[in-house]
Coordinates of all heavy atoms in Angstrom, one line a residue:
Y1 N 55.2 102.1 107.3 CA 54.7 102.1 108.7 C 55.1 100.9 109.4 O 55.0 99.8 108.9 CB 53.2 102.3 108.6 CG 52.5 102.5 109.9 CD1 52.6 103.8 110.5 CD2 51.8 101.6 110.6 CE1 51.9 104.1 111.7 CE2 51.2 101.8 111.8 CZ 51.3 103.1 112.3 OH 50.6 103.4 113.5
Y2 N 55.6 101.1 110.6 CA 56.3 100.0 111.4 C 55.7 100.1 112.8 O 55.5 101.2 113.4 CB 57.8 100.3 111.4 CG 58.6 99.3 112.2 CD1 59.0 98.1 111.6 CD2 59.1 99.6 113.4 CE1 59.8 97.2 112.3 CE2 59.9 98.7 114.1 CZ 60.2 97.5 113.5 OH 61.0 96.6 114.2
T3 N 55.4 98.9 113.4 CA 55.0 98.9 114.8 C 56.0 98.1 115.6 O 56.6 97.2 115.2 CB 53.6 98.2 115.0 OG1 53.7 96.9 114.5 CG2 52.5 99.0 114.3
F4 N 56.2 98.5 116.9 CA 57.1 97.8 117.8 C 56.7 98.0 119.2 O 55.9 98.8 119.6 CB 58.5 98.2 117.5 CG 58.9 99.5 118.2 CD1 59.8 99.5 119.3 CD2 58.5 100.7 117.8 CE1 60.2 100.6 119.9 CE2 58.9 101.9 118.4 CZ 59.7 101.8 119.5
S5 N 57.3 97.2 120.1 CA 56.9 97.3 121.5 C 58.1 97.7 122.5 O 57.9 97.9 123.6 CB 56.3 96.0 122.0 OG 57.2 95.0 121.8
D6 N 59.3 97.7 122.0 CA 60.4 98.1 122.9 C 61.6 98.6 122.1 O 61.8 99.8 122.1 CB 60.9 96.9 123.7 CG 61.7 97.3 125.0 OD1 61.8 98.5 125.3 OD2 62.2 96.4 125.6
D7 N 62.4 97.8 121.5 CA 63.5 98.2 120.6 C 63.1 98.4 119.2 O 62.3 97.6 118.7 CB 64.7 97.2 120.7 CG 65.3 97.2 122.1 OD1 65.0 98.0 122.9 OD2 66.0 96.2 122.4
L8 N 63.7 99.4 118.5 CA 63.4 99.6 117.1 C 64.5 98.9 116.3 O 65.6 99.1 116.5 CB 63.4 101.1 116.9 CG 63.1 101.6 115.5 CD1 61.7 101.2 115.0 CD2 63.2 103.1 115.4
F9 N 64.0 98.0 115.4 CA 64.9 97.3 114.5 C 64.7 97.8 113.1 O 63.6 97.9 112.6 CB 64.6 95.8 114.5 CG 64.9 95.1 115.8 CD1 63.9 95.1 116.8 CD2 66.1 94.6 116.1 CE1 64.1 94.5 118.0 CE2 66.4 94.0 117.3 CZ 65.4 93.9 118.3
L10 N 65.9 98.0 112.4 CA 65.8 98.4 111.0 C 67.1 98.1 110.3 O 68.1 97.9 110.9 CB 65.5 99.9 110.8 CG 66.5 100.9 111.4 CD1 66.9 101.9 110.4 CD2 65.8 101.6 112.6
S11 N 67.1 98.1 109.0 CA 68.3 97.9 108.2 C 68.5 99.2 107.5 O 67.6 99.9 107.0 CB 68.1 96.8 107.1 OG 68.1 95.6 107.8
Y12 N 69.8 99.6 107.4 CA 70.2 100.9 106.8 C 71.4 100.6 105.9 O 72.4 100.1 106.4 CB 70.5 101.9 107.9 CG 71.0 103.2 107.3 CD1 70.2 104.1 106.6 CD2 72.3 103.6 107.5 CE1 70.6 105.3 106.1 CE2 72.8 104.8 107.0 CZ 72.0 105.7 106.3 OH 72.4 106.9 105.8
D13 N 71.4 101.1 104.6 CA 72.5 100.9 103.7 C 73.4 102.2 103.8 O 73.0 103.2 103.3 CB 72.0 100.7 102.3 CG 73.1 100.1 101.4 OD1 74.2 100.1 101.8 OD2 72.7 99.8 100.2
N14 N 74.5 102.0 104.4 CA 75.4 103.1 104.6 C 76.3 103.3 103.4 O 77.5 103.0 103.4 CB 76.2 102.9 105.9 CG 77.1 104.0 106.3 OD1 77.0 105.1 105.8 ND2 78.1 103.7 107.2
H15 N 75.8 104.0 102.4 CA 76.5 104.2 101.1 C 77.8 105.0 101.3 O 78.8 104.8 100.6 CB 75.7 104.8 100.1 CG 74.6 104.0 99.6 ND1 74.8 103.0 98.7 CD2 73.2 104.0 99.8 CE1 73.6 102.4 98.4 NE2 72.7 103.0 99.1
Y16 N 77.7 106.0 102.2 CA 78.8 107.0 102.3 C 79.7 106.8 103.4 O 80.5 107.6 103.8 CB 78.1 108.4 102.4 CG 77.2 108.7 101.3 CD1 75.8 108.8 101.5 CD2 77.7 108.7 100.0 CE1 74.9 109.0 100.4 CE2 76.8 108.9 98.9 CZ 75.4 109.1 99.1 OH 74.6 109.3 98.1
H17 N 79.7 105.6 104.0 CA 80.6 105.2 105.1 C 80.6 106.1 106.3 O 81.7 106.4 106.9 CB 82.0 105.0 104.5 CG 82.1 104.0 103.4 ND1 83.1 103.1 103.3 CD2 81.3 103.8 102.3 CE1 82.9 102.3 102.2 NE2 81.8 102.8 101.6
D18 N 79.5 106.6 106.6 CA 79.3 107.4 107.8 C 79.7 106.5 109.1 O 79.5 105.3 109.1 CB 77.9 107.9 108.0 CG 77.5 108.8 106.9 OD1 78.4 109.5 106.3 OD2 76.3 108.9 106.6
K19 N 80.3 107.1 110.1 CA 80.7 106.4 111.3 C 79.6 106.3 112.3 O 79.5 105.3 113.0 CB 81.9 107.2 112.0 CG 83.1 107.3 111.1 CD 83.8 106.0 110.9 CE 85.1 106.2 110.1 NZ 85.4 105.1 109.3
L20 N 78.7 107.3 112.4 CA 77.5 107.3 113.3 C 76.3 107.5 112.5 O 76.2 108.3 111.5 CB 77.7 108.3 114.4 CG 78.9 108.2 115.4 CD1 79.0 109.4 116.2 CD2 78.7 106.9 116.2
L21 N 75.2 107.0 113.1 CA 73.9 107.2 112.5 C 73.4 108.6 113.0 O 73.3 108.8 114.2 CB 72.9 106.1 113.0 CG 71.5 106.2 112.3 CD1 71.6 105.8 110.9 CD2 70.6 105.2 113.1
N22 N 73.1 109.5 112.1 CA 72.6 110.8 112.4 C 71.1 110.7 112.3 O 70.5 110.7 111.2 CB 73.2 111.9 111.4 CG 72.7 113.3 111.7 OD1 72.1 113.5 112.7 ND2 73.0 114.1 110.8
Y23 N 70.4 110.7 113.5 CA 69.0 110.4 113.5 C 68.3 111.2 114.6 O 68.9 111.6 115.5 CB 68.7 108.9 113.6 CG 68.9 108.3 114.9 CD1 67.8 108.1 115.8 CD2 70.2 108.1 115.4 CE1 68.0 107.5 117.0 CE2 70.4 107.5 116.7 CZ 69.3 107.2 117.5 OH 69.4 106.7 118.7
E24 N 67.0 111.3 114.4 CA 66.2 111.9 115.4 C 64.8 111.2 115.4 O 64.4 110.7 114.3 CB 66.0 113.4 115.3 CG 65.2 113.9 114.1 CD 65.0 115.4 114.1 OE1 65.8 116.1 114.8 OE2 64.1 115.8 113.4
I25 N 64.1 111.2 116.5 CA 62.8 110.7 116.6 C 61.9 111.8 117.1 O 62.2 112.4 118.1 CB 62.7 109.4 117.4 CG1 63.6 108.3 116.8 CG2 61.3 108.9 117.6 CD1 63.7 107.1 117.7
V26 N 60.7 112.0 116.4 CA 59.8 113.0 116.8 C 58.4 112.4 117.0 O 58.0 111.6 116.2 CB 59.7 114.1 115.7 CG1 58.6 115.1 116.0 CG2 61.1 114.8 115.5
Q27 N 57.8 112.7 118.1 CA 56.4 112.3 118.4 C 55.5 113.1 117.5 O 55.6 114.3 117.4 CB 56.1 112.5 119.8 CG 54.7 112.2 120.2 CD 54.3 112.5 121.6 OE1 55.2 112.3 122.5 NE2 53.1 112.9 121.9
L28 N 54.6 112.4 116.8 CA 53.7 113.1 115.9 C 52.3 113.3 116.6 O 52.0 112.7 117.6 CB 53.4 112.3 114.6 CG 54.7 112.0 113.8 CD1 54.3 111.0 112.7 CD2 55.3 113.2 113.3
G29 N 51.5 114.2 116.0 CA 50.2 114.5 116.6 C 50.1 115.9 117.1 O 50.8 116.8 116.7
Q30 N 49.2 116.1 118.0 CA 48.9 117.4 118.6 C 50.1 118.0 119.3 O 50.4 119.1 119.2 CB 47.7 117.3 119.6 CG 46.4 117.0 118.9 CD 45.3 116.9 119.8 OE1 45.4 117.0 121.0 NE2 44.1 116.7 119.3
E31 N 50.8 117.1 120.0 CA 52.0 117.5 120.8 C 53.3 117.0 120.0 O 53.9 116.0 120.4 CB 52.0 116.9 122.2 CG 50.9 117.4 123.1 CD 51.1 116.7 124.4 OE1 52.2 116.3 124.8 OE2 50.0 116.6 125.1
T32 N 53.7 117.7 119.0 CA 54.9 117.3 118.3 C 56.1 117.6 119.2 O 56.3 118.8 119.6 CB 55.0 118.0 117.0 OG1 53.9 117.7 116.2 CG2 56.3 117.6 116.2
R33 N 56.9 116.6 119.5 CA 58.1 116.8 120.3 C 59.2 115.9 119.9 O 59.0 114.7 119.5 CB 57.8 116.7 121.8 CG 57.5 115.2 122.2 CD 57.2 115.1 123.8 NE 56.9 113.8 124.1 CZ 57.7 112.8 124.5 NH1 59.0 113.1 124.6 NH2 57.3 111.6 124.8
K34 N 60.4 116.4 120.0 CA 61.6 115.6 119.7 C 62.0 114.8 120.9 O 62.0 115.3 122.1 CB 62.7 116.5 119.3 CG 64.0 115.8 118.9 CD 65.0 116.8 118.4 CE 66.3 116.2 118.1 NZ 67.4 117.1 117.7
I35 N 62.3 113.5 120.7 CA 62.7 112.6 121.8 C 64.2 112.9 122.1 O 65.0 112.9 121.2 CB 62.5 111.1 121.4 CG1 61.1 110.8 121.0 CG2 62.9 110.2 122.6 CD1 60.0 111.2 121.9
Q36 N 64.5 113.1 123.4 CA 65.8 113.5 123.8 C 66.6 112.3 124.3 O 66.1 111.2 124.6 CB 65.7 114.5 125.0 CG 64.9 115.7 124.6 CD 65.6 116.6 123.6 OE1 66.8 116.7 123.5 NE2 64.8 117.1 122.7
N37 N 67.9 112.4 124.3 CA 68.9 111.4 124.9 C 68.8 110.1 124.3 O 68.7 109.1 124.9 CB 68.7 111.3 126.4 CG 68.9 112.7 127.1 OD1 69.8 113.4 126.8 ND2 68.0 113.0 128.0
L38 N 68.7 110.0 122.9 CA 68.7 108.8 122.2 C 70.1 108.2 122.2 O 71.1 108.9 122.2 CB 68.2 109.0 120.8 CG 66.7 109.4 120.7 CD1 66.4 109.8 119.2 CD2 65.8 108.2 121.1
P39 N 70.2 106.9 122.1 CA 71.5 106.2 122.1 C 72.3 106.5 120.8 O 71.7 106.6 119.8 CB 71.2 104.7 122.3 CG 69.8 104.6 121.9 CD 69.1 105.9 122.1
E40 N 73.6 106.5 121.0 CA 74.5 106.6 119.8 C 74.5 105.3 119.1 O 74.6 104.3 119.7 CB 75.9 107.0 120.3 CG 76.9 107.3 119.2 CD 78.2 107.7 119.7 OE1 78.4 109.0 119.9 OE2 79.0 106.9 120.0
V41 N 74.4 105.4 117.7 CA 74.4 104.1 116.9 C 75.6 104.2 116.0 O 75.7 105.1 115.1 CB 73.1 104.0 116.1 CG1 73.2 102.7 115.2 CG2 71.9 103.9 117.1
Q42 N 76.6 103.2 116.1 CA 77.7 103.1 115.3 C 77.4 102.4 114.0 O 76.5 101.5 114.0 CB 78.8 102.4 116.0 CG 79.2 102.9 117.3 CD 80.6 103.5 117.4 OE1 81.4 103.2 116.6 NE2 80.9 104.2 118.5
L43 N 78.0 102.9 112.9 CA 77.7 102.3 111.6 C 79.0 101.7 111.0 O 80.1 102.1 111.2 CB 77.2 103.4 110.6 CG 75.8 104.0 110.9 CD1 75.5 105.1 109.9 CD2 74.8 102.9 110.9
N44 N 78.8 100.7 110.1 CA 79.8 100.1 109.3 C 79.5 100.4 107.8 O 78.3 100.7 107.5 CB 79.9 98.6 109.5 CG 80.3 98.2 110.8 OD1 81.3 98.7 111.4 ND2 79.5 97.3 111.5
P45 N 80.4 100.4 106.9 CA 80.1 100.6 105.5 C 79.1 99.5 105.0 O 79.2 98.3 105.5 CB 81.4 100.4 104.8 CG 82.5 100.7 105.8 CD 81.9 100.2 107.1
G46 N 78.2 99.8 104.1 CA 77.3 98.8 103.6 C 76.0 98.7 104.4 O 75.7 99.6 105.1
I47 N 75.4 97.5 104.3 CA 74.2 97.3 105.0 C 74.4 97.1 106.5 O 75.2 96.2 106.9 CB 73.4 96.2 104.4 CG1 73.0 96.5 103.0 CG2 72.1 95.8 105.2 CD1 72.2 95.5 102.2
N48 N 73.7 97.8 107.4 CA 73.7 97.7 108.8 C 72.4 97.2 109.3 O 71.4 97.9 109.0 CB 74.1 99.0 109.4 CG 75.5 99.4 109.2 OD1 76.3 99.3 110.1 ND2 75.8 99.9 108.0
N49 N 72.3 96.2 110.1 CA 71.1 95.8 110.8 C 71.2 96.4 112.2 O 72.1 96.1 113.0 CB 71.0 94.3 110.9 CG 70.8 93.6 109.6 OD1 70.0 94.1 108.8 ND2 71.5 92.5 109.3
I50 N 70.3 97.4 112.4 CA 70.4 98.3 113.6 C 69.3 98.0 114.6 O 68.2 97.7 114.2 CB 70.2 99.7 113.1 CG1 71.4 100.1 112.2 CG2 70.2 100.7 114.3 CD1 71.2 101.4 111.5
R51 N 69.7 98.0 115.8 CA 68.8 97.9 117.0 C 68.9 99.1 117.8 O 70.0 99.4 118.4 CB 69.1 96.6 117.8 CG 68.2 96.5 119.0 CD 68.6 95.3 119.8 NE 67.8 95.1 120.9 CZ 67.9 94.1 121.8 NH1 68.8 93.1 121.6 NH2 67.1 94.0 122.8
I52 N 67.9 99.9 117.9 CA 67.9 101.1 118.7 C 67.1 100.8 120.0 O 65.9 100.7 120.0 CB 67.4 102.4 118.0 CG1 68.1 102.6 116.7 CG2 67.4 103.6 118.9 CD1 67.6 103.7 115.8
A53 N 67.8 100.8 121.1 CA 67.2 100.5 122.4 C 66.6 101.8 122.9 O 67.2 102.6 123.7 CB 68.2 99.9 123.4
I54 N 65.4 102.1 122.6 CA 64.7 103.3 123.0 C 64.1 103.2 124.3 O 64.2 104.1 125.2 CB 63.6 103.7 121.9 CG1 64.3 103.9 120.6 CG2 62.9 104.9 122.4 CD1 63.3 104.1 119.5
G55 N 63.5 102.1 124.6 CA 62.9 101.9 125.9 C 61.5 102.5 126.0 O 61.2 103.5 125.3
K56 N 60.7 101.9 126.9 CA 59.3 102.3 127.0 C 59.2 103.6 127.7 O 58.1 104.3 127.6 CB 58.6 101.2 127.8 CG 58.5 99.9 127.0 CD 57.9 98.8 127.8 CE 57.9 97.5 127.0 NZ 57.4 96.4 127.7
K57 N 60.2 104.1 128.5 CA 60.0 105.3 129.3 C 60.0 106.5 128.4 O 59.4 107.5 128.8 CB 61.2 105.4 130.2 CG 61.2 104.3 131.3 CD 62.4 104.4 132.2 CE 62.4 103.3 133.2 NZ 63.5 103.2 134.0
K58 N 60.6 106.5 127.2 CA 60.7 107.7 126.4 C 59.6 107.8 125.4 O 59.3 108.9 124.9 CB 62.0 107.7 125.6 CG 63.2 107.8 126.5 CD 64.5 107.9 125.6 CE 65.7 108.0 126.6 NZ 66.9 108.0 125.9
L59 N 58.9 106.7 125.1 CA 57.8 106.8 124.1 C 56.4 106.4 124.8 O 56.4 105.6 125.7 CB 58.1 105.8 123.0 CG 59.4 105.9 122.3 CD1 59.5 104.9 121.2 CD2 59.5 107.3 121.7
K60 N 55.4 107.0 124.3 CA 54.1 106.8 124.8 C 53.4 105.7 124.0 O 53.5 105.7 122.8 CB 53.2 108.1 124.7 CG 53.8 109.2 125.6 CD 52.9 110.4 125.5 CE 53.4 111.6 126.3 NZ 52.7 112.8 126.1
R61 N 52.6 104.9 124.7 CA 51.9 103.8 124.1 C 50.8 104.4 123.1 O 50.2 105.4 123.4 CB 51.2 103.0 125.2 CG 50.7 101.7 124.7 CD 50.3 100.9 126.0 NE 49.1 100.1 125.6 CZ 48.0 99.9 126.2 NH1 47.9 100.6 127.4 NH2 47.1 99.2 125.8
N62 N 50.6 103.7 122.0 CA 49.6 104.0 120.9 C 49.8 105.4 120.3 O 48.9 106.0 119.9 CB 48.2 103.9 121.5 CG 47.8 102.5 121.8 OD1 48.2 101.5 121.0 ND2 47.2 102.2 122.9
Q63 N 51.1 105.8 120.3 CA 51.4 107.1 119.7 C 52.3 106.9 118.5 O 53.1 106.0 118.4 CB 52.2 107.9 120.8 CG 52.7 109.3 120.3 CD 51.5 110.2 120.1 OE1 50.6 110.4 120.9 NE2 51.4 110.8 118.9
N64 N 52.1 107.8 117.5 CA 52.9 107.7 116.2 C 54.1 108.5 116.4 O 54.1 109.6 117.0 CB 52.1 108.2 115.0 CG 51.0 107.2 114.7 OD1 50.9 106.1 115.1 ND2 50.0 107.7 113.9
Y65 N 55.2 108.0 115.7 CA 56.5 108.7 115.8 C 57.1 108.7 114.4 O 56.8 107.9 113.5 CB 57.5 108.0 116.7 CG 57.0 108.1 118.2 CD1 56.2 107.1 118.7 CD2 57.5 109.1 119.0 CE1 55.7 107.2 120.0 CE2 57.0 109.2 120.3 CZ 56.2 108.3 120.8 OH 55.7 108.4 122.1
L66 N 58.0 109.6 114.1 CA 58.7 109.7 112.9 C 60.2 109.7 113.1 O 60.8 110.5 113.9 CB 58.4 111.0 112.1 CG 59.1 111.1 110.7 CD1 58.6 110.1 109.8 CD2 58.8 112.5 110.2
L67 N 60.9 108.6 112.6 CA 62.3 108.5 112.6 C 62.9 109.2 111.4 O 62.4 108.9 110.3 CB 62.8 107.1 112.7 CG 64.2 106.7 112.4 CD1 65.1 107.2 113.5 CD2 64.4 105.3 112.1
T68 N 63.8 110.1 111.5 CA 64.5 110.8 110.4 C 66.0 110.5 110.5 O 66.6 110.8 111.5 CB 64.2 112.3 110.4 OG1 62.8 112.5 110.4 CG2 64.9 112.9 109.2
I69 N 66.5 109.9 109.4 CA 68.0 109.7 109.3 C 68.5 110.6 108.3 O 68.0 110.7 107.1 CB 68.3 108.2 108.9 CG1 67.7 107.2 110.0 CG2 69.8 108.0 108.7 CD1 67.8 105.8 109.6
T70 N 69.6 111.3 108.6 CA 70.2 112.2 107.6 C 71.6 111.7 107.4 O 72.4 111.6 108.3 CB 70.2 113.7 108.2 OG1 68.9 114.1 108.5 CG2 70.8 114.6 107.1
D71 N 71.9 111.4 106.1 CA 73.3 110.9 105.8 C 74.2 112.1 105.6 O 73.8 113.2 105.6 CB 73.2 109.9 104.6 CG 72.8 110.5 103.3 OD1 73.0 111.7 103.1 OD2 72.2 109.8 102.5
S72 N 75.5 111.8 105.3 CA 76.5 112.8 105.2 C 76.3 113.7 104.0 O 76.9 114.7 103.9 CB 77.9 112.2 105.3 OG 78.0 111.3 104.2
R73 N 75.5 113.2 103.0 CA 75.2 114.1 101.9 C 73.9 114.9 102.0 O 73.4 115.4 101.1 CB 75.0 113.2 100.6 CG 76.2 112.3 100.3 CD 77.3 113.1 99.6 NE 78.5 112.3 99.6 CZ 79.1 111.9 98.5 NH1 78.6 112.2 97.3 NH2 80.2 111.2 98.5
E74 N 73.4 114.9 103.3 CA 72.2 115.6 103.7 C 70.9 115.1 103.1 O 69.9 115.7 103.1 CB 72.3 117.1 103.3 CG 73.5 117.8 104.1 CD 73.3 117.8 105.6 OE1 72.2 118.0 106.1 OE2 74.3 117.6 106.3
K75 N 71.0 113.8 102.6 CA 69.7 113.1 102.2 C 69.0 112.6 103.4 O 69.6 112.0 104.3 CB 70.1 112.0 101.2 CG 68.8 111.3 100.7 CD 69.2 110.3 99.6 CE 67.9 109.6 99.1 NZ 68.2 108.5 98.2
K76 N 67.7 112.8 103.4 CA 66.9 112.4 104.6 C 66.1 111.1 104.2 O 65.6 111.0 103.1 CB 66.0 113.5 105.0 CG 66.7 114.7 105.5 CD 65.7 115.7 106.1 CE 66.4 116.9 106.6 NZ 67.3 116.7 107.7
H77 N 66.1 110.2 105.2 CA 65.3 108.9 105.1 C 64.3 108.9 106.2 O 64.7 109.2 107.4 CB 66.3 107.7 105.2 CG 67.5 107.9 104.3 ND1 67.5 107.4 103.0 CD2 68.7 108.4 104.5 CE1 68.7 107.6 102.4 NE2 69.4 108.3 103.3
F78 N 63.1 108.5 106.0 CA 62.0 108.6 107.0 C 61.4 107.2 107.2 O 61.3 106.4 106.3 CB 60.9 109.5 106.5 CG 61.4 110.9 106.2 CD1 61.7 111.3 104.9 CD2 61.6 111.8 107.2 CE1 62.2 112.6 104.6 CE2 62.0 113.1 106.9 CZ 62.3 113.5 105.6
L79 N 61.0 107.0 108.5 CA 60.3 105.8 108.9 C 59.3 106.2 109.9 O 59.6 106.8 111.0 CB 61.2 104.7 109.4 CG 60.5 103.5 110.0 CD1 59.8 102.7 108.9 CD2 61.5 102.7 110.8
E80 N 58.0 106.0 109.6 CA 56.9 106.3 110.6 C 56.6 105.0 111.4 O 56.5 104.0 110.7 CB 55.7 106.8 110.0 CG 54.6 107.3 111.0 CD 53.4 107.9 110.3 OE1 53.5 108.4 109.2 OE2 52.4 107.9 111.0
F81 N 56.5 105.1 112.7 CA 56.2 103.9 113.5 C 55.3 104.3 114.6 O 55.1 105.4 114.9 CB 57.5 103.2 113.9 CG 58.3 104.0 114.9 CD1 58.2 103.9 116.3 CD2 59.3 104.9 114.4 CE1 58.9 104.6 117.1 CE2 60.1 105.7 115.3 CZ 59.9 105.5 116.6
K82 N 54.8 103.2 115.2 CA 53.9 103.3 116.4 C 54.3 102.4 117.5 O 54.6 101.3 117.3 CB 52.4 102.9 115.9 CG 51.4 103.2 117.0 CD 50.0 102.9 116.4 CE 48.9 103.4 117.3 NZ 47.6 103.3 116.7
M83 N 54.3 103.0 118.7 CA 54.6 102.2 119.9 C 53.4 101.5 120.3 O 52.3 102.1 120.6 CB 55.1 103.2 121.0 CG 55.4 102.6 122.3 SD 56.9 101.6 122.2 CE 57.2 101.3 123.9
L84 N 53.4 100.2 120.5 CA 52.2 99.4 120.8 C 52.1 99.1 122.3 O 51.0 99.3 122.8 CB 52.3 98.1 120.1 CG 52.1 98.2 118.6 CD1 52.1 96.8 118.0 CD2 50.8 98.9 118.2
K85 N 53.1 98.7 123.0 CA 53.0 98.3 124.4 C 53.9 99.1 125.3 O 55.0 99.5 124.9 CB 53.3 96.8 124.5 CG 52.4 95.9 123.7 CD 52.7 94.5 123.9 CE 51.8 93.6 123.1 NZ 52.2 92.2 123.2

């Protein structure tokens, strides 16, 4: 579980040398909805320190979200987080 107030920071180990991060963010709760128009994130082989500039306009304060990353082998990685401010 991760909390943040503007940009989402994470590390991702790119084992399969994918060029782009294949991800989605979904708002959890009564109104489950997929966040649209997320920025493209370029990847390098190995460990990547990633900053996703989501912005406050797309996410609601005090709301839980689920980040899902799918690698080129179709393995899914999950991170639940909450927008604070």
Side-chain angles (χ1 to χ4, degrees):
Y1 188 75
Y2 180 81
T3 58
F4 82 108
S5 58
D6 198 10
D7 294 347
L8 181 61
F9 294 88
L10 63 125
S11 292
Y12 175 70
D13 195 354
N14 184 15
H15 290 288
Y16 305 114
H17 301 228
D18 298 330
K19 301 289 184 207
L20 293 173
L21 187 68
N22 180 10
Y23 74 104
E24 69 177 18
I25 297 175
V26 175
Q27 177 182 323
L28 301 175
Q30 294 177 357
E31 296 179 26
T32 301
R33 69 176 176 93
K34 184 176 175 181
I35 306 303
Q36 302 296 320
N37 303 317
L38 292 170
E40 186 175 270
V41 177
Q42 305 245 346
L43 293 175
N44 295 312
I47 295 177
N48 290 257
N49 293 318
I50 298 171
R51 177 182 181 178
I52 302 175
I54 298 171
K56 297 176 183 177
K57 295 178 184 174
K58 293 184 182 180
L59 303 181
K60 294 180 182 176
R61 195 170 147 228
N62 293 320
Q63 181 65 52
N64 291 345
Y65 294 88
L66 182 65
L67 166 72
T68 304
I69 298 171
T70 306
D71 65 30
S72 58
R73 304 282 170 115
E74 297 299 317
K75 182 176 180 183
K76 295 189 182 295
H77 310 269
F78 302 98
L79 174 69
E80 186 175 338
F81 63 94
K82 185 174 192 171
M83 178 70 166
L84 291 180
K85 297 180 183 178

